[in-house]
Amino acid sequence: LGLVLDQLGLPDSAVEQFELAVRYGADNPQALVALCKEEIRLGRVQPAMALLNQGAKKFPNNAEMLYLIGEYLFNSKSEGDARVVLE
């Protein structure tokens, strides 16, 4: 539902749906990744990174989550940290 709302141009409603998916589908890393991507797209990078850091602890092998963290670190000029996450 969050993806559909986002495509309809309703980003705040999409975020709400992604948050519900994360809350009630706690074992669903895809919902967490979708929420983080939407937060980043809306310019709310710090909350997204906090969620990603929590998610990486719960799902340490989720490639998409690790990629988003690494991309953020690289863009933040933390290339050494990004290299550790992406390797």
Side-chain angles (χ1 to χ4, degrees), residues 25-58:
D27 292 331
N28 184 353
Q30 290 82 13
L32 181 60
V33 168
L35 172 60
C36 293
K37 283 181 176 180
E38 188 65 19
E39 291 284 14
I40 290 168
R41 192 179 74 72
L42 294 172
R44 299 189 289 235
V45 176
Q46 292 305 321
M49 292 314 299
L51 287 169
L52 282 171
N53 285 326
Q54 291 173 3
K57 291 176 186 169
K58 187 169 185 176

